[in-house]
């Protein structure tokens, strides 16, 4: 198993794979904004930025990948990408499974959303060693994430999910703690990177 990890890491960081991943996420982002079109039509302009949660999360990751391809790190974008991609990826999976339990079926589109959003979260976690953000980037991303929760559940701008909307208070409570968990994941990634860098043995002078 240990011998497989460096190979997987090499594939994940290969420029050709990153380019493929960039276009996959770009396509998913565009599709996501189109999917939100009907809700955006009835959204007040002041809230437009905060309604399409998942496509904005994948947009952050798309931008982070673009920076990696160019050999750079956009640290705030990376922090936003990790936190929001995992959060809204898992959130959509839970909401669709919840809808399945309540309604009895979610159709092909529902299962597509389950698979695609689960993979959103997975890809964000796979790149944990790649992120270079610092504590201030996490703090700003945390404010963005929790502020988005306020917009969704205090101002009523959450994504519309049919019958389960009657459980809005429970959904809001779950979402808050999901946000905290994802922020904690970002802190873990930051601490892990710092320990790894501090533990590297100095190279001998030649």
């Amino acid at each position: 198993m240990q011998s497989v990890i460096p190979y997987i890491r090499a594939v994940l960081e290969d420029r050709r794979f990153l380019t493929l991943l960039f276009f996959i996420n770009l396509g998913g982002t565009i599709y996501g904004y189109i999917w939100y079109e009907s809700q955006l039509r009835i959204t007040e302009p002041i809230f437009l930025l905060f309604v399409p949660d998942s496509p904005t999360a994948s947009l952050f990751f798309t931008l982070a990948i673009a920076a990696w391809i160019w050999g750079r790190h956009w640290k705030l974008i990376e922090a936003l990408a990790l936190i929001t991609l995992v959060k809204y990826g898992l959130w959509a999976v839970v909401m669709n499974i919840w809808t399945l339990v309540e309604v009895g079926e979610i159709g092909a589109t529902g299962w597509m959303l389950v698979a695609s959003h689960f993979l959103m979260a997975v890809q964000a976690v796979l790149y944990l060693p790649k992120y270079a953000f610092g504590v201030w980037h996490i703090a700003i991303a945390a404010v963005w994430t929790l502020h988005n929760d306020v917009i969704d559940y205090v101002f009523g701008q959450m994504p519309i999910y049919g019958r389960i909307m009657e459980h809005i208070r429970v959904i809001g409570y779950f979402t808050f703690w999901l946000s905290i968990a994802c922020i904690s994941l970002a802190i873990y990634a930051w601490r892990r990177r710092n320990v790894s860098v501090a533990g590297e043995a100095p190279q001998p002078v030649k």
Side-chain angles (χ1 to χ4, degrees):
M1 182 64 181
Q2 291 295 326
S3 62
V4 175
I5 293 176
Y7 174 76
I8 295 174
R9 181 58 49 202
V11 171
L12 291 174
E13 297 195 8
D14 184 85
R15 188 184 183 94
R16 292 164 296 182
F17 183 81
L18 286 172
T19 301
L20 174 63
L21 199 60
F22 170 84
F23 284 109
I24 290 172
N25 278 272
L26 179 62
T29 299
I30 294 170
Y31 174 82
Y33 282 118
I34 294 172
W35 191 86
Y36 270 94
E37 183 181 3
S38 59
Q39 185 169 349
L40 290 173
R41 281 203 218 101
I42 60 174
T43 299
E44 295 179 45
I46 194 173
F47 297 125
L48 286 175
L49 182 63
F50 305 102
V51 169
D53 298 324
S54 292
T56 301
S58 62
L59 175 61
F60 289 144
F61 195 64
T62 302
L63 293 173
I65 295 171
W68 295 339
I69 292 171
W70 297 330
R72 302 179 63 184
H73 285 277
W74 293 339
K75 297 178 182 179
L76 177 57
I77 295 296
E78 289 180 6
L80 286 164
L82 173 60
I83 293 172
T84 62
L85 212 60
V86 174
K87 174 188 173 181
Y88 293 116
L90 295 180
W91 186 92
V93 170
V94 172
M95 293 305 110
N96 278 282
I97 297 301
W98 194 343
T99 300
L100 175 65
V101 172
E102 288 274 325
V103 179
E105 58 89 23
I106 55 176
T109 300
W111 286 114
M112 180 275 292
L113 291 173
V114 169
S116 61
H117 282 78
F118 179 72
L119 291 174
M120 279 172 53
V122 169
Q123 68 177 350
V125 173
L126 285 175
Y127 281 93
L128 278 181
K130 185 76 171 172
Y131 303 120
F133 50 70
V135 66
W136 286 109
H137 305 109
I138 297 173
I140 294 170
V143 170
W144 167 276
T145 303
L146 294 172
H147 175 261
N148 213 340
D149 288 345
V150 172
I151 297 297
D152 283 352
Y153 299 101
V154 175
F155 291 92
Q157 302 301 314
M158 69 164 284
I160 299 171
Y161 261 88
R163 259 177 69 173
I164 65 171
M165 295 294 287
E166 64 190 53
H167 306 293
I168 186 70
R169 291 185 179 181
V170 176
I171 294 172
Y173 185 75
F174 162 74
T175 303
F176 169 77
W177 284 109
L178 181 59
S179 295
I180 296 299
C182 293
I183 293 165
S184 300
L185 176 63
I187 294 171
Y188 165 78
W190 168 68
R191 288 174 61 87
R192 181 182 178 186
R193 178 181 175 84
N194 283 354
V195 169
S196 176
V197 171
E200 289 179 357
Q203 296 296 317
V205 178
K206 295 182 178 180

